[in-house]
Amino acid sequence: MKTTTHPEIRRYLAAVDRAASALPAGRRKELLADLSEHVDVALAERPGELDQILAELGDPQDIAATAVREDAEYDDPDQRRGNPRTVLALLAVGSAMGLLTAAPHSDVLNFPILVVTVAGLVALAMSAWWSTARKSIFVAWFILPNLLLRVIDQAFGLGHPVHVAESCISVVLRAGILVWLWRHRVTPDGPGRIAFRLPRWARILLWSLLALFLTIEVFMWISAFAVTDGLSSVKEGTLNP
Amino acid sequence: MEPGKTLSQLRKGVLEYCVLSLLRDGPRYGTELLGELANTGALATSQGTVYPLLTRLRREELVTTDWSESPSGPPRRYYALTDKGRTALADFAVVWAEFTQAVDRLITPDQHADRRAP
């Protein structure tokens, strides 16, 4: 580029670059590109007035400070913490996985269900889309009926048909309360997000732990199937010689 | 508060709508836009501070940008108003009119005197 060859412009842009170090790298590059483009065009229109052009552009510190402020002000609705779609998806997936526990070899699912559900509840707690009262109502309806049914089950040791009925009731309740939660979301005003962001290293660590965990889970699940299939074929063999 | 500071704070809030207004009649490129902004007196700070604002307006999809070759000099990036930007500008015009009327009523001494008068 032409501007980068002129030492005075280069010095100016470097000053902006230094002052804007708080800005994410992509944003900073974009700002520098905008400014160098401005100088290019302005110089083509008013050749020889470089000093004047740079003076009009203003103090690098001012520009950098404005850029940092604008970047903080920009509020991408999809980037808001506790996006309702994420919250609902996590909780719905957790509940759907809970249904599968009726199937054989389902013990491996207990931990993923716990993780997904807890993640959903944490996302809900941090979300700016629901009032605290609504969150409490939701959590109560989400957890208590299931807990109650489980306690009754444990206490009376009820048989299979009751078990099925219980599952049906809890599915209907879960679905109902999830629909309620979705309907009662309210778009937060302005920058509605909760200013909470883990540092970069912590995010990387968390995501890699999650990826590792999922890999292990899937692996265990597959191997559990393999082992029990092996066992059942052995049994069949002994039963029907 | 000194008058200069008051004015600069007032300008800061309405600057983005001044930018959108300047784009109402058609796309403009960066230096052209900044030149006009400086002429209207709406620009409180240096020209360079408008670029971060333009970036935000683009991310909020109120404006779009498009490169265009120029007969003389380097290609220019033109900023144009989107439908969303047009709506935001129209909304602001309504809010601004109501707001200035309300403030006018408050700060004009005559009208207060009228109310108190029998």
PDB file of all heavy atoms in Angstrom, chain B residues 63-99:
ATOM      1  N   VAL B  63     -25.610   0.606   8.233  1.00  0.00           N
ATOM      2  CA  VAL B  63     -25.016   1.010   6.956  1.00  0.00           C
ATOM      3  C   VAL B  63     -24.302  -0.193   6.335  1.00  0.00           C
ATOM      4  O   VAL B  63     -23.971  -1.147   7.029  1.00  0.00           O
ATOM      5  CB  VAL B  63     -23.995   2.168   7.113  1.00  0.00           C
ATOM      6  CG1 VAL B  63     -24.623   3.371   7.780  1.00  0.00           C
ATOM      7  CG2 VAL B  63     -22.772   1.726   7.889  1.00  0.00           C
ATOM      8  N   THR B  64     -24.123  -0.131   5.027  1.00  0.00           N
ATOM      9  CA  THR B  64     -23.284  -1.131   4.356  1.00  0.00           C
ATOM     10  C   THR B  64     -22.168  -0.382   3.642  1.00  0.00           C
ATOM     11  O   THR B  64     -22.260   0.824   3.420  1.00  0.00           O
ATOM     12  CB  THR B  64     -24.068  -1.920   3.288  1.00  0.00           C
ATOM     13  OG1 THR B  64     -24.723  -0.977   2.439  1.00  0.00           O
ATOM     14  CG2 THR B  64     -25.073  -2.835   3.909  1.00  0.00           C
ATOM     15  N   THR B  65     -21.113  -1.107   3.293  1.00  0.00           N
ATOM     16  CA  THR B  65     -20.034  -0.457   2.554  1.00  0.00           C
ATOM     17  C   THR B  65     -19.793  -1.211   1.259  1.00  0.00           C
ATOM     18  O   THR B  65     -20.044  -2.407   1.161  1.00  0.00           O
ATOM     19  CB  THR B  65     -18.731  -0.434   3.356  1.00  0.00           C
ATOM     20  OG1 THR B  65     -18.380  -1.773   3.678  1.00  0.00           O
ATOM     21  CG2 THR B  65     -18.861   0.371   4.622  1.00  0.00           C
ATOM     22  N   ASP B  66     -19.314  -0.471   0.285  1.00  0.00           N
ATOM     23  CA  ASP B  66     -19.049  -1.066  -1.019  1.00  0.00           C
ATOM     24  C   ASP B  66     -17.911  -0.288  -1.674  1.00  0.00           C
ATOM     25  O   ASP B  66     -17.907   0.942  -1.656  1.00  0.00           O
ATOM     26  CB  ASP B  66     -20.328  -0.971  -1.863  1.00  0.00           C
ATOM     27  CG  ASP B  66     -20.289  -1.996  -2.979  1.00  0.00           C
ATOM     28  OD1 ASP B  66     -19.397  -2.867  -2.948  1.00  0.00           O
ATOM     29  OD2 ASP B  66     -21.143  -1.909  -3.879  1.00  0.00           O
ATOM     30  N   TRP B  67     -16.954  -1.023  -2.218  1.00  0.00           N
ATOM     31  CA  TRP B  67     -15.836  -0.364  -2.891  1.00  0.00           C
ATOM     32  C   TRP B  67     -16.259   0.114  -4.268  1.00  0.00           C
ATOM     33  O   TRP B  67     -17.043  -0.534  -4.940  1.00  0.00           O
ATOM     34  CB  TRP B  67     -14.678  -1.335  -3.044  1.00  0.00           C
ATOM     35  CG  TRP B  67     -13.987  -1.607  -1.771  1.00  0.00           C
ATOM     36  CD1 TRP B  67     -14.218  -2.663  -0.932  1.00  0.00           C
ATOM     37  CD2 TRP B  67     -12.979  -0.809  -1.162  1.00  0.00           C
ATOM     38  NE1 TRP B  67     -13.403  -2.565   0.165  1.00  0.00           N
ATOM     39  CE2 TRP B  67     -12.632  -1.448   0.050  1.00  0.00           C
ATOM     40  CE3 TRP B  67     -12.340   0.372  -1.506  1.00  0.00           C
ATOM     41  CZ2 TRP B  67     -11.678  -0.941   0.913  1.00  0.00           C
ATOM     42  CZ3 TRP B  67     -11.389   0.880  -0.655  1.00  0.00           C
ATOM     43  CH2 TRP B  67     -11.061   0.227   0.544  1.00  0.00           C
ATOM     44  N   SER B  68     -15.708   1.251  -4.651  1.00  0.00           N
ATOM     45  CA  SER B  68     -16.008   1.748  -5.987  1.00  0.00           C
ATOM     46  C   SER B  68     -14.756   2.408  -6.546  1.00  0.00           C
ATOM     47  O   SER B  68     -14.080   3.168  -5.852  1.00  0.00           O
ATOM     48  CB  SER B  68     -17.161   2.750  -5.896  1.00  0.00           C
ATOM     49  OG  SER B  68     -17.511   3.193  -7.175  1.00  0.00           O
ATOM     50  N   GLU B  69     -14.463   2.091  -7.811  1.00  0.00           N
ATOM     51  CA  GLU B  69     -13.291   2.689  -8.452  1.00  0.00           C
ATOM     52  C   GLU B  69     -13.532   4.179  -8.653  1.00  0.00           C
ATOM     53  O   GLU B  69     -14.663   4.624  -8.836  1.00  0.00           O
ATOM     54  CB  GLU B  69     -13.051   2.028  -9.812  1.00  0.00           C
ATOM     55  CG  GLU B  69     -12.522   0.604  -9.721  1.00  0.00           C
ATOM     56  CD  GLU B  69     -11.166   0.520  -9.014  1.00  0.00           C
ATOM     57  OE1 GLU B  69     -10.367   1.480  -9.137  1.00  0.00           O
ATOM     58  OE2 GLU B  69     -10.901  -0.489  -8.353  1.00  0.00           O
ATOM     59  N   SER B  70     -12.444   4.931  -8.588  1.00  0.00           N
ATOM     60  CA  SER B  70     -12.566   6.371  -8.793  1.00  0.00           C
ATOM     61  C   SER B  70     -11.800   6.755 -10.055  1.00  0.00           C
ATOM     62  O   SER B  70     -10.754   6.163 -10.351  1.00  0.00           O
ATOM     63  CB  SER B  70     -11.987   7.089  -7.578  1.00  0.00           C
ATOM     64  OG  SER B  70     -11.665   8.425  -7.910  1.00  0.00           O
ATOM     65  N   PRO B  71     -12.321   7.736 -10.812  1.00  0.00           N
ATOM     66  CA  PRO B  71     -11.586   8.175 -12.011  1.00  0.00           C
ATOM     67  C   PRO B  71     -10.200   8.707 -11.650  1.00  0.00           C
ATOM     68  O   PRO B  71      -9.256   8.584 -12.434  1.00  0.00           O
ATOM     69  CB  PRO B  71     -12.472   9.271 -12.608  1.00  0.00           C
ATOM     70  CG  PRO B  71     -13.435   9.659 -11.530  1.00  0.00           C
ATOM     71  CD  PRO B  71     -13.590   8.463 -10.656  1.00  0.00           C
ATOM     72  N   SER B  72     -10.079   9.320 -10.466  1.00  0.00           N
ATOM     73  CA  SER B  72      -8.761   9.794 -10.039  1.00  0.00           C
ATOM     74  C   SER B  72      -8.459   9.259  -8.647  1.00  0.00           C
ATOM     75  O   SER B  72      -9.319   9.288  -7.773  1.00  0.00           O
ATOM     76  CB  SER B  72      -8.750  11.321 -10.012  1.00  0.00           C
ATOM     77  OG  SER B  72      -9.672  11.778  -9.055  1.00  0.00           O
ATOM     78  N   GLY B  73      -7.267   8.753  -8.468  1.00  0.00           N
ATOM     79  CA  GLY B  73      -6.867   8.296  -7.146  1.00  0.00           C
ATOM     80  C   GLY B  73      -7.327   6.890  -6.825  1.00  0.00           C
ATOM     81  O   GLY B  73      -7.825   6.174  -7.691  1.00  0.00           O
ATOM     82  N   PRO B  74      -7.128   6.509  -5.575  1.00  0.00           N
ATOM     83  CA  PRO B  74      -7.412   5.128  -5.154  1.00  0.00           C
ATOM     84  C   PRO B  74      -8.924   4.851  -5.138  1.00  0.00           C
ATOM     85  O   PRO B  74      -9.710   5.794  -5.136  1.00  0.00           O
ATOM     86  CB  PRO B  74      -6.843   5.083  -3.736  1.00  0.00           C
ATOM     87  CG  PRO B  74      -6.869   6.491  -3.265  1.00  0.00           C
ATOM     88  CD  PRO B  74      -6.680   7.357  -4.460  1.00  0.00           C
ATOM     89  N   PRO B  75      -9.313   3.546  -5.116  1.00  0.00           N
ATOM     90  CA  PRO B  75     -10.740   3.219  -5.014  1.00  0.00           C
ATOM     91  C   PRO B  75     -11.303   3.720  -3.684  1.00  0.00           C
ATOM     92  O   PRO B  75     -10.576   3.825  -2.693  1.00  0.00           O
ATOM     93  CB  PRO B  75     -10.764   1.694  -5.084  1.00  0.00           C
ATOM     94  CG  PRO B  75      -9.387   1.258  -4.793  1.00  0.00           C
ATOM     95  CD  PRO B  75      -8.480   2.356  -5.196  1.00  0.00           C
ATOM     96  N   ARG B  76     -12.569   4.053  -3.677  1.00  0.00           N
ATOM     97  CA  ARG B  76     -13.195   4.591  -2.468  1.00  0.00           C
ATOM     98  C   ARG B  76     -14.216   3.616  -1.916  1.00  0.00           C
ATOM     99  O   ARG B  76     -14.895   2.936  -2.664  1.00  0.00           O
ATOM    100  CB  ARG B  76     -13.908   5.906  -2.810  1.00  0.00           C
ATOM    101  CG  ARG B  76     -12.994   7.094  -2.714  1.00  0.00           C
ATOM    102  CD  ARG B  76     -13.001   7.853  -3.993  1.00  0.00           C
ATOM    103  NE  ARG B  76     -11.669   8.335  -4.317  1.00  0.00           N
ATOM    104  CZ  ARG B  76     -11.399   9.599  -4.603  1.00  0.00           C
ATOM    105  NH1 ARG B  76     -12.365  10.486  -4.623  1.00  0.00           N
ATOM    106  NH2 ARG B  76     -10.175   9.962  -4.881  1.00  0.00           N
ATOM    107  N   ARG B  77     -14.290   3.654  -0.607  1.00  0.00           N
ATOM    108  CA  ARG B  77     -15.306   2.817   0.033  1.00  0.00           C
ATOM    109  C   ARG B  77     -16.530   3.674   0.312  1.00  0.00           C
ATOM    110  O   ARG B  77     -16.455   4.645   1.060  1.00  0.00           O
ATOM    111  CB  ARG B  77     -14.769   2.225   1.326  1.00  0.00           C
ATOM    112  CG  ARG B  77     -15.772   1.297   1.912  1.00  0.00           C
ATOM    113  CD  ARG B  77     -15.224   0.208   2.720  1.00  0.00           C
ATOM    114  NE  ARG B  77     -14.104   0.565   3.571  1.00  0.00           N
ATOM    115  CZ  ARG B  77     -13.782  -0.171   4.606  1.00  0.00           C
ATOM    116  NH1 ARG B  77     -14.465  -1.231   4.896  1.00  0.00           N
ATOM    117  NH2 ARG B  77     -12.761   0.167   5.345  1.00  0.00           N
ATOM    118  N   TYR B  78     -17.648   3.293  -0.274  1.00  0.00           N
ATOM    119  CA  TYR B  78     -18.882   4.058  -0.111  1.00  0.00           C
ATOM    120  C   TYR B  78     -19.726   3.475   1.012  1.00  0.00           C
ATOM    121  O   TYR B  78     -19.901   2.265   1.105  1.00  0.00           O
ATOM    122  CB  TYR B  78     -19.684   4.055  -1.424  1.00  0.00           C
ATOM    123  CG  TYR B  78     -19.183   5.089  -2.397  1.00  0.00           C
ATOM    124  CD1 TYR B  78     -18.058   4.830  -3.177  1.00  0.00           C
ATOM    125  CD2 TYR B  78     -19.813   6.325  -2.525  1.00  0.00           C
ATOM    126  CE1 TYR B  78     -17.576   5.780  -4.062  1.00  0.00           C
ATOM    127  CE2 TYR B  78     -19.345   7.272  -3.415  1.00  0.00           C
ATOM    128  CZ  TYR B  78     -18.226   7.004  -4.175  1.00  0.00           C
ATOM    129  OH  TYR B  78     -17.742   7.940  -5.038  1.00  0.00           O
ATOM    130  N   TYR B  79     -20.217   4.369   1.853  1.00  0.00           N
ATOM    131  CA  TYR B  79     -21.143   3.962   2.921  1.00  0.00           C
ATOM    132  C   TYR B  79     -22.560   4.260   2.456  1.00  0.00           C
ATOM    133  O   TYR B  79     -22.824   5.349   1.937  1.00  0.00           O
ATOM    134  CB  TYR B  79     -20.852   4.741   4.202  1.00  0.00           C
ATOM    135  CG  TYR B  79     -19.513   4.403   4.811  1.00  0.00           C
ATOM    136  CD1 TYR B  79     -18.348   5.046   4.391  1.00  0.00           C
ATOM    137  CD2 TYR B  79     -19.415   3.432   5.800  1.00  0.00           C
ATOM    138  CE1 TYR B  79     -17.116   4.727   4.946  1.00  0.00           C
ATOM    139  CE2 TYR B  79     -18.183   3.114   6.357  1.00  0.00           C
ATOM    140  CZ  TYR B  79     -17.045   3.765   5.920  1.00  0.00           C
ATOM    141  OH  TYR B  79     -15.835   3.453   6.471  1.00  0.00           O
ATOM    142  N   ALA B  80     -23.452   3.282   2.625  1.00  0.00           N
ATOM    143  CA  ALA B  80     -24.842   3.473   2.211  1.00  0.00           C
ATOM    144  C   ALA B  80     -25.772   3.060   3.345  1.00  0.00           C
ATOM    145  O   ALA B  80     -25.448   2.178   4.147  1.00  0.00           O
ATOM    146  CB  ALA B  80     -25.140   2.651   0.966  1.00  0.00           C
ATOM    147  N   LEU B  81     -26.921   3.713   3.406  1.00  0.00           N
ATOM    148  CA  LEU B  81     -27.911   3.427   4.441  1.00  0.00           C
ATOM    149  C   LEU B  81     -28.641   2.133   4.098  1.00  0.00           C
ATOM    150  O   LEU B  81     -29.030   1.924   2.950  1.00  0.00           O
ATOM    151  CB  LEU B  81     -28.908   4.592   4.463  1.00  0.00           C
ATOM    152  CG  LEU B  81     -29.558   4.994   5.778  1.00  0.00           C
ATOM    153  CD1 LEU B  81     -28.516   5.237   6.850  1.00  0.00           C
ATOM    154  CD2 LEU B  81     -30.396   6.240   5.565  1.00  0.00           C
ATOM    155  N   THR B  82     -28.849   1.268   5.093  1.00  0.00           N
ATOM    156  CA  THR B  82     -29.667   0.070   4.879  1.00  0.00           C
ATOM    157  C   THR B  82     -31.115   0.407   5.261  1.00  0.00           C
ATOM    158  O   THR B  82     -31.377   1.477   5.812  1.00  0.00           O
ATOM    159  CB  THR B  82     -29.194  -1.093   5.759  1.00  0.00           C
ATOM    160  OG1 THR B  82     -29.352  -0.689   7.120  1.00  0.00           O
ATOM    161  CG2 THR B  82     -27.745  -1.435   5.499  1.00  0.00           C
ATOM    162  N   ASP B  83     -32.008  -0.529   5.007  1.00  0.00           N
ATOM    163  CA  ASP B  83     -33.406  -0.319   5.418  1.00  0.00           C
ATOM    164  C   ASP B  83     -33.492  -0.149   6.930  1.00  0.00           C
ATOM    165  O   ASP B  83     -34.244   0.677   7.448  1.00  0.00           O
ATOM    166  CB  ASP B  83     -34.272  -1.508   4.981  1.00  0.00           C
ATOM    167  CG  ASP B  83     -34.517  -1.493   3.475  1.00  0.00           C
ATOM    168  OD1 ASP B  83     -34.322  -0.413   2.871  1.00  0.00           O
ATOM    169  OD2 ASP B  83     -34.876  -2.540   2.912  1.00  0.00           O
ATOM    170  N   LYS B  84     -32.685  -0.952   7.617  1.00  0.00           N
ATOM    171  CA  LYS B  84     -32.659  -0.872   9.079  1.00  0.00           C
ATOM    172  C   LYS B  84     -32.183   0.512   9.515  1.00  0.00           C
ATOM    173  O   LYS B  84     -32.708   1.096  10.464  1.00  0.00           O
ATOM    174  CB  LYS B  84     -31.717  -1.958   9.604  1.00  0.00           C
ATOM    175  CG  LYS B  84     -31.939  -2.338  11.043  1.00  0.00           C
ATOM    176  CD  LYS B  84     -31.019  -3.496  11.418  1.00  0.00           C
ATOM    177  CE  LYS B  84     -30.865  -3.597  12.914  1.00  0.00           C
ATOM    178  NZ  LYS B  84     -29.830  -4.563  13.285  1.00  0.00           N
ATOM    179  N   GLY B  85     -31.166   1.025   8.805  1.00  0.00           N
ATOM    180  CA  GLY B  85     -30.643   2.350   9.107  1.00  0.00           C
ATOM    181  C   GLY B  85     -31.684   3.427   8.864  1.00  0.00           C
ATOM    182  O   GLY B  85     -31.814   4.377   9.649  1.00  0.00           O
ATOM    183  N   ARG B  86     -32.435   3.268   7.786  1.00  0.00           N
ATOM    184  CA  ARG B  86     -33.486   4.225   7.447  1.00  0.00           C
ATOM    185  C   ARG B  86     -34.546   4.252   8.552  1.00  0.00           C
ATOM    186  O   ARG B  86     -35.014   5.322   8.965  1.00  0.00           O
ATOM    187  CB  ARG B  86     -34.113   3.823   6.111  1.00  0.00           C
ATOM    188  CG  ARG B  86     -34.370   4.966   5.156  1.00  0.00           C
ATOM    189  CD  ARG B  86     -34.648   4.447   3.760  1.00  0.00           C
ATOM    190  NE  ARG B  86     -33.440   4.362   2.965  1.00  0.00           N
ATOM    191  CZ  ARG B  86     -32.839   5.416   2.409  1.00  0.00           C
ATOM    192  NH1 ARG B  86     -33.320   6.627   2.585  1.00  0.00           N
ATOM    193  NH2 ARG B  86     -31.740   5.266   1.709  1.00  0.00           N
ATOM    194  N   THR B  87     -34.908   3.049   9.016  1.00  0.00           N
ATOM    195  CA  THR B  87     -35.904   2.962  10.088  1.00  0.00           C
ATOM    196  C   THR B  87     -35.378   3.612  11.359  1.00  0.00           C
ATOM    197  O   THR B  87     -36.098   4.369  12.026  1.00  0.00           O
ATOM    198  CB  THR B  87     -36.225   1.472  10.375  1.00  0.00           C
ATOM    199  OG1 THR B  87     -36.469   0.823   9.142  1.00  0.00           O
ATOM    200  CG2 THR B  87     -37.430   1.338  11.279  1.00  0.00           C
ATOM    201  N   ALA B  88     -34.098   3.319  11.678  1.00  0.00           N
ATOM    202  CA  ALA B  88     -33.505   3.884  12.896  1.00  0.00           C
ATOM    203  C   ALA B  88     -33.505   5.408  12.822  1.00  0.00           C
ATOM    204  O   ALA B  88     -33.793   6.093  13.817  1.00  0.00           O
ATOM    205  CB  ALA B  88     -32.083   3.364  13.070  1.00  0.00           C
ATOM    206  N   LEU B  89     -33.225   5.930  11.642  1.00  0.00           N
ATOM    207  CA  LEU B  89     -33.185   7.377  11.455  1.00  0.00           C
ATOM    208  C   LEU B  89     -34.584   7.980  11.625  1.00  0.00           C
ATOM    209  O   LEU B  89     -34.768   9.010  12.297  1.00  0.00           O
ATOM    210  CB  LEU B  89     -32.635   7.683  10.057  1.00  0.00           C
ATOM    211  CG  LEU B  89     -32.404   9.149   9.715  1.00  0.00           C
ATOM    212  CD1 LEU B  89     -31.468   9.790  10.709  1.00  0.00           C
ATOM    213  CD2 LEU B  89     -31.850   9.274   8.299  1.00  0.00           C
ATOM    214  N   ALA B  90     -35.590   7.304  11.042  1.00  0.00           N
ATOM    215  CA  ALA B  90     -36.966   7.796  11.157  1.00  0.00           C
ATOM    216  C   ALA B  90     -37.416   7.774  12.618  1.00  0.00           C
ATOM    217  O   ALA B  90     -38.031   8.729  13.111  1.00  0.00           O
ATOM    218  CB  ALA B  90     -37.896   6.930  10.299  1.00  0.00           C
ATOM    219  N   ASP B  91     -37.068   6.685  13.326  1.00  0.00           N
ATOM    220  CA  ASP B  91     -37.421   6.581  14.748  1.00  0.00           C
ATOM    221  C   ASP B  91     -36.773   7.712  15.533  1.00  0.00           C
ATOM    222  O   ASP B  91     -37.400   8.335  16.392  1.00  0.00           O
ATOM    223  CB  ASP B  91     -36.949   5.242  15.329  1.00  0.00           C
ATOM    224  CG  ASP B  91     -37.779   4.083  14.794  1.00  0.00           C
ATOM    225  OD1 ASP B  91     -38.816   4.355  14.163  1.00  0.00           O
ATOM    226  OD2 ASP B  91     -37.372   2.925  14.998  1.00  0.00           O
ATOM    227  N   PHE B  92     -35.498   7.959  15.214  1.00  0.00           N
ATOM    228  CA  PHE B  92     -34.781   9.006  15.943  1.00  0.00           C
ATOM    229  C   PHE B  92     -35.428  10.371  15.699  1.00  0.00           C
ATOM    230  O   PHE B  92     -35.536  11.186  16.613  1.00  0.00           O
ATOM    231  CB  PHE B  92     -33.309   9.043  15.532  1.00  0.00           C
ATOM    232  CG  PHE B  92     -32.559  10.169  16.170  1.00  0.00           C
ATOM    233  CD1 PHE B  92     -32.192  10.103  17.503  1.00  0.00           C
ATOM    234  CD2 PHE B  92     -32.247  11.318  15.449  1.00  0.00           C
ATOM    235  CE1 PHE B  92     -31.518  11.142  18.102  1.00  0.00           C
ATOM    236  CE2 PHE B  92     -31.582  12.368  16.043  1.00  0.00           C
ATOM    237  CZ  PHE B  92     -31.211  12.283  17.373  1.00  0.00           C
ATOM    238  N   ALA B  93     -35.852  10.611  14.450  1.00  0.00           N
ATOM    239  CA  ALA B  93     -36.451  11.906  14.121  1.00  0.00           C
ATOM    240  C   ALA B  93     -37.660  12.177  15.020  1.00  0.00           C
ATOM    241  O   ALA B  93     -37.843  13.297  15.516  1.00  0.00           O
ATOM    242  CB  ALA B  93     -36.851  11.938  12.646  1.00  0.00           C
ATOM    243  N   VAL B  94     -38.463  11.143  15.258  1.00  0.00           N
ATOM    244  CA  VAL B  94     -39.649  11.292  16.112  1.00  0.00           C
ATOM    245  C   VAL B  94     -39.226  11.569  17.551  1.00  0.00           C
ATOM    246  O   VAL B  94     -39.685  12.527  18.187  1.00  0.00           O
ATOM    247  CB  VAL B  94     -40.510  10.002  16.047  1.00  0.00           C
ATOM    248  CG1 VAL B  94     -41.664  10.087  17.037  1.00  0.00           C
ATOM    249  CG2 VAL B  94     -41.021   9.794  14.629  1.00  0.00           C
ATOM    250  N   VAL B  95     -38.313  10.726  18.041  1.00  0.00           N
ATOM    251  CA  VAL B  95     -37.857  10.874  19.426  1.00  0.00           C
ATOM    252  C   VAL B  95     -37.220  12.246  19.635  1.00  0.00           C
ATOM    253  O   VAL B  95     -37.479  12.930  20.634  1.00  0.00           O
ATOM    254  CB  VAL B  95     -36.839   9.760  19.775  1.00  0.00           C
ATOM    255  CG1 VAL B  95     -36.199  10.019  21.126  1.00  0.00           C
ATOM    256  CG2 VAL B  95     -37.504   8.408  19.753  1.00  0.00           C
ATOM    257  N   TRP B  96     -36.422  12.655  18.668  1.00  0.00           N
ATOM    258  CA  TRP B  96     -35.703  13.923  18.761  1.00  0.00           C
ATOM    259  C   TRP B  96     -36.692  15.093  18.837  1.00  0.00           C
ATOM    260  O   TRP B  96     -36.529  16.011  19.641  1.00  0.00           O
ATOM    261  CB  TRP B  96     -34.777  14.068  17.550  1.00  0.00           C
ATOM    262  CG  TRP B  96     -34.023  15.353  17.489  1.00  0.00           C
ATOM    263  CD1 TRP B  96     -34.219  16.369  16.613  1.00  0.00           C
ATOM    264  CD2 TRP B  96     -32.953  15.765  18.343  1.00  0.00           C
ATOM    265  NE1 TRP B  96     -33.339  17.384  16.857  1.00  0.00           N
ATOM    266  CE2 TRP B  96     -32.539  17.039  17.920  1.00  0.00           C
ATOM    267  CE3 TRP B  96     -32.303  15.168  19.430  1.00  0.00           C
ATOM    268  CZ2 TRP B  96     -31.517  17.741  18.536  1.00  0.00           C
ATOM    269  CZ3 TRP B  96     -31.270  15.868  20.049  1.00  0.00           C
ATOM    270  CH2 TRP B  96     -30.892  17.131  19.603  1.00  0.00           C
ATOM    271  N   ALA B  97     -37.716  15.056  17.998  1.00  0.00           N
ATOM    272  CA  ALA B  97     -38.700  16.136  17.986  1.00  0.00           C
ATOM    273  C   ALA B  97     -39.391  16.238  19.344  1.00  0.00           C
ATOM    274  O   ALA B  97     -39.509  17.331  19.924  1.00  0.00           O
ATOM    275  CB  ALA B  97     -39.720  15.897  16.875  1.00  0.00           C
ATOM    276  N   GLU B  98     -39.811  15.094  19.876  1.00  0.00           N
ATOM    277  CA  GLU B  98     -40.488  15.093  21.182  1.00  0.00           C
ATOM    278  C   GLU B  98     -39.553  15.579  22.274  1.00  0.00           C
ATOM    279  O   GLU B  98     -39.932  16.379  23.135  1.00  0.00           O
ATOM    280  CB  GLU B  98     -40.967  13.683  21.528  1.00  0.00           C
ATOM    281  CG  GLU B  98     -42.150  13.233  20.706  1.00  0.00           C
ATOM    282  CD  GLU B  98     -42.448  11.757  20.907  1.00  0.00           C
ATOM    283  OE1 GLU B  98     -41.718  11.110  21.704  1.00  0.00           O
ATOM    284  OE2 GLU B  98     -43.388  11.262  20.262  1.00  0.00           O
ATOM    285  N   PHE B  99     -38.322  15.098  22.184  1.00  0.00           N
ATOM    286  CA  PHE B  99     -37.322  15.420  23.211  1.00  0.00           C
ATOM    287  C   PHE B  99     -37.018  16.914  23.226  1.00  0.00           C
ATOM    288  O   PHE B  99     -37.044  17.556  24.272  1.00  0.00           O
ATOM    289  CB  PHE B  99     -36.062  14.606  22.929  1.00  0.00           C
ATOM    290  CG  PHE B  99     -34.940  14.843  23.890  1.00  0.00           C
ATOM    291  CD1 PHE B  99     -35.008  14.360  25.188  1.00  0.00           C
ATOM    292  CD2 PHE B  99     -33.802  15.542  23.493  1.00  0.00           C
ATOM    293  CE1 PHE B  99     -33.965  14.572  26.067  1.00  0.00           C
ATOM    294  CE2 PHE B  99     -32.767  15.757  24.376  1.00  0.00           C
ATOM    295  CZ  PHE B  99     -32.849  15.276  25.669  1.00  0.00           C
TER     296      PHE B  99
END
